[in-house]
């Protein structure tokens, strides 16, 4: 099926689900206002906010192609963040509350007529389990009314404050057998830039200033350069051209990510290459200084079709690495640029020194400094999702991402990582 159609269908399903959920919330709270003379005003106000908050979602669905192809004006961005916050906070509660509702309906069927009798008392009111469940459902409905509202407020604050400043994260990374001429080399990693409606010239200008101030020798880019629309390729190309001019040897080396393939990955790769980026699609770039050589291997992002057969992304990634491995020299250290950090499961078993990845944005929401804490949502889905890992003699660094496809960050600021190799 055409990728645009799939993209639209998924987005439409989510948007309709949110709409129905918000209508259910109104059904729950409407009785509290039904006796008021202002009932119609309250209803009109609620549905006006609902329609306005969903307007950006429907605009993306109804616009031909892969959504809106122009950057949002600066004055609109605060409004956009508020509208997104309302929708994301409601979606956050839609799935668990739907599950609880289904469980409640099943229990209500099972215990419809069973009385609740206290065995320690001779007399009992004989309250049925169905009555008890109805009361519990009423309490849950009160929670349904409050939780999305409370999380909307939290999300709005996270959208305005969480991405306000870009963190330049200085790290020293030890590379085995690194030639003395390469020691002290400074390399910046940019990942998940997501150039698009929300990330455009002003944000990229601030990024350029920070990279210049860091005085790095090379820049590595680990995928998701654009958000979902190749209409933004000129903006990304201009950024890379200016980035190259800020570097002593003018080398920006990168790979593609899953978002770069949403529209047309081949066209995106060509555009980045025309702008001066060394786009590695299962290729190697030699970083040289003096007599030192460091191999930078770049793995392409699997497009889910390999040699005419559908396959798992991880299996394709392994096949890509085997292709690159044939070109590697055993006597030189290796850095692998690979968008998806889960591939470290097989890369750590190979002869690689450092893997640089992104994709997870560090989870964007972190409620604990403990990376293993279940309070960090990304921990539920990823073994490797943020910062530095070392296993089996290989190292992985997962960048928090410079940009976003939704601007909500809590305890996880956008990041430029600057590595000093030792």
């Amino acid at each position: 099926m055409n990728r645009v159609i799939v993209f639209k269908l998924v987005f439409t399903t989510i948007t309709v689900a949110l709409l129905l959920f918000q209508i259910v919330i109104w059904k729950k709270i409407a009785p509290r206002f039904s006796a008021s003379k202002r009932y119609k005003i309250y209803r009109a106000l609620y549905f006006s906010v609902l329609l306005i908050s969903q307007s950006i979602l429907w605009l993306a669905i109804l616009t031909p192609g892969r959504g809106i192809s122009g950057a949002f004006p600066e004055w609109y961005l605060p409004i956009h963040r508020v509208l997104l916050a309302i929708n994301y906070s409601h979606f956050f509660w839609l799935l668990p509350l739907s599950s609880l509702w289904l469980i409640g309906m099943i229990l209500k069927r099972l215990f419809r007529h069973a009385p609740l009798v206290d065995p320690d008392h001779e007399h009992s009111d004989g309250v049925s389990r169905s009555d008890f469940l109805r009361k519990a459902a009423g309490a849950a409905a009160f929670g349904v009314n409050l939780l999305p509202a409370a999380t909307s407020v939290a999300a709005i604050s996270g959208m305005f404050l969480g991405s306000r400043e870009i963190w330049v994260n200085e790290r020293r990374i030890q590379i085995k057998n690194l030639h003395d001429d390469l020691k002290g080399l400074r390399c910046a990693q940019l990942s998940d830039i997501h150039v698009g409606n929300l990330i455009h010239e002003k944000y990229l200008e601030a990024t350029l200033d920070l990279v210049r101030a860091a005085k790095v020798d090379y820049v590595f880019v680990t995928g998701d350069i654009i958000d979902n629309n190749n209409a933004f390729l000129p903006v990304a190309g201009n950024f890379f051209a200016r980035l190259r001019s800020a570097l002593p040897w003018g080398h920006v080396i990168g790979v593609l990510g899953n978002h770069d393939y949403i529209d047309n990955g081949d066209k995106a790769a060509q555009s980045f290459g025309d702008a001066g980026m060394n786009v590695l699609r299962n290729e190697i770039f030699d970083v040289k200084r003096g007599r030192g050589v460091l191999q930078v291997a770049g793995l392409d992002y699997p497009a889910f079709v390999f040699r005419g057969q559908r396959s798992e992304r991880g299996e394709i990634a392994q096949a890509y690495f085997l292709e690159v491995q044939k070109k590697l020299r055993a006597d030189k250290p290796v850095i692998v640029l690979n968008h998806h950090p889960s591939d470290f499961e097989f890369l750590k078993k190979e002869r690689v020194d450092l893997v640089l990845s992104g994709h997870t944005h560090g989870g964007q929401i972190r409620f604990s400094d403990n990376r293993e804490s279940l309070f960090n949502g990304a921990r539920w889905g990823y073994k490797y999702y943020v910062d530095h890992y070392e296993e089996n003699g290989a190292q992985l660094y997962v960048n928090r991402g410079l940009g976003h496809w939704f601007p909500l960050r809590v305890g996880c600021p956008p990041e430029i990582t600057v590595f000093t190799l030792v």
Side-chain angles (χ1 to χ4, degrees):
M1 186 181 291
N2 186 290
R3 290 184 182 181
V4 176
I5 296 175
V6 173
F7 184 79
K8 297 283 189 184
L9 286 175
V10 171
F11 209 63
T12 301
T13 301
I14 293 172
T15 303
V16 170
L18 284 172
L19 176 62
L20 294 175
F21 181 55
Q22 289 162 324
I23 290 174
V24 168
I25 291 176
W26 171 253
K27 293 285 188 182
K28 294 292 184 182
I29 64 176
R32 301 180 188 181
F33 303 106
S34 59
S36 172
K37 295 180 180 179
R38 297 188 179 91
Y39 174 78
K40 291 183 179 180
I41 297 175
Y42 294 141
R43 183 177 61 186
L45 182 62
Y46 180 89
F47 282 100
S48 295
V49 171
L50 170 58
L51 293 175
I52 292 171
S53 70
Q54 283 214 320
S55 61
I56 188 62
L57 303 180
W58 287 110
L59 187 60
I61 292 168
L62 298 174
T63 302
R66 288 172 171 78
I68 303 162
S69 60
F72 293 138
E74 201 67 32
W75 63 265
Y76 171 71
L77 286 177
I79 301 172
H80 184 74
R81 291 183 178 187
V82 171
L83 300 184
L84 281 182
I86 294 171
N87 285 289
Y88 281 121
S89 61
H90 281 70
F91 183 70
F92 178 78
W93 289 107
L94 172 61
L95 295 179
L97 287 174
S98 298
S99 301
L100 289 173
W101 175 83
L102 181 60
I103 293 171
M105 292 298 293
I106 293 172
L107 290 175
K108 189 174 180 180
R109 289 284 181 182
L110 291 175
F111 302 109
R112 180 180 299 173
H113 302 296
L116 285 176
V117 179
D118 187 343
D120 295 329
H121 295 80
E122 292 183 5
H123 300 286
S124 171
D125 293 334
V127 179
S128 71
R129 291 186 185 273
S130 60
D131 290 338
F132 173 79
L133 288 169
R134 274 196 293 271
K135 292 178 181 179
F142 182 71
V144 169
N145 301 337
L146 292 181
L147 291 176
T151 51
S152 292
V153 174
I156 289 169
S157 64
M159 287 185 173
F160 278 96
L161 302 177
S163 299
R164 187 173 56 179
E165 294 182 356
I166 300 170
W167 178 33
V168 179
N169 182 12
E170 294 269 358
R171 305 293 296 247
R172 289 172 63 84
I173 296 289
Q174 187 168 7
I175 303 292
K176 291 180 293 185
N177 303 319
L178 186 69
H179 194 282
D180 287 343
D181 289 348
L182 288 172
K183 290 181 177 178
L185 193 76
R186 288 171 61 79
C187 307
Q189 181 192 6
L190 305 180
S191 192
D192 301 88
I193 307 172
H194 288 277
V195 179
N197 302 121
L198 298 174
I199 304 295
H200 42 95
E201 285 89 347
K202 185 176 180 180
Y203 193 84
L204 297 176
E205 186 67 37
T207 301
L208 281 170
D209 291 340
L210 291 171
V211 173
R212 290 191 192 104
K215 299 186 183 303
V216 299
D217 301 300
Y218 289 84
V219 171
F220 300 139
V221 183
T222 47
D224 280 4
I225 297 163
I226 57 173
D227 194 25
N228 57 31
N229 198 316
N230 278 3
F232 293 98
L233 289 177
V235 178
N238 180 59
F239 170 67
F240 289 128
R242 297 182 65 194
L243 189 59
R244 284 185 65 232
S245 67
L247 303 175
W249 292 288
H251 289 304
V252 178
I253 307 158
V255 295
L256 302 183
N258 54 300
H259 275 255
D260 301 311
Y261 274 103
I262 287 177
D263 197 335
N264 185 320
D266 292 332
K267 183 178 178 181
Q270 181 179 347
S271 177
F272 302 147
D274 291 343
M277 177 195 285
N278 295 282
V279 183
L280 303 182
R281 304 179 79 180
N282 306 324
E283 297 167 314
I284 296 171
F285 182 94
D286 284 342
V287 168
K288 299 178 181 179
R289 190 165 72 172
R291 292 179 295 173
V293 177
L294 173 65
Q295 300 174 101
V296 178
L299 302 187
D300 200 5
Y301 194 87
F304 298 101
V305 177
F306 182 59
R307 293 177 182 172
Q309 301 293 324
R310 294 188 64 81
S311 183
E312 294 296 328
R313 187 204 57 76
E315 294 176 5
I316 303 172
Q318 283 186 273
Y320 284 172
F321 179 75
L322 291 175
E323 181 182 334
V324 172
Q325 194 175 42
K326 300 172 185 176
K327 309 170 189 176
L328 293 173
R329 288 158 289 174
D331 61 330
K332 306 297 181 185
V334 180
I335 292 179
V336 176
L337 308 183
N338 184 59
H339 180 64
H340 206 296
S342 295
D343 296 333
F344 191 58
E345 285 288 4
F346 73 84
L347 287 171
K348 67 186 179 184
K349 301 172 185 175
E350 306 292 345
R351 200 196 65 78
V352 300
D353 297 283
L354 173 65
V355 180
L356 299 181
S357 296
H359 186 66
T360 64
H361 299 206
Q364 287 199 192
I365 301 173
R366 298 183 68 199
F367 293 117
S368 171
D369 291 332
N370 177 9
R371 193 164 56 189
E372 303 304 314
S373 172
L374 294 178
F375 289 105
N376 296 328
R379 176 67 181 85
W380 303 343
Y382 295 95
K383 180 179 179 180
Y384 311 107
Y385 72 94
V386 71
D387 287 331
H388 183 262
Y389 300 83
E390 188 166 2
E391 295 180 18
N392 202 39
Q395 301 177 78
L396 166 69
Y397 189 85
V398 186
N399 186 284
R400 289 166 176 78
L402 178 65
H404 43 249
W405 57 270
F406 69 99
L408 173 59
R409 286 182 179 267
V410 177
C412 189
E415 175 182 10
I416 298 171
T417 319
V418 177
F419 299 104
T420 300
L421 305 184
V422 295

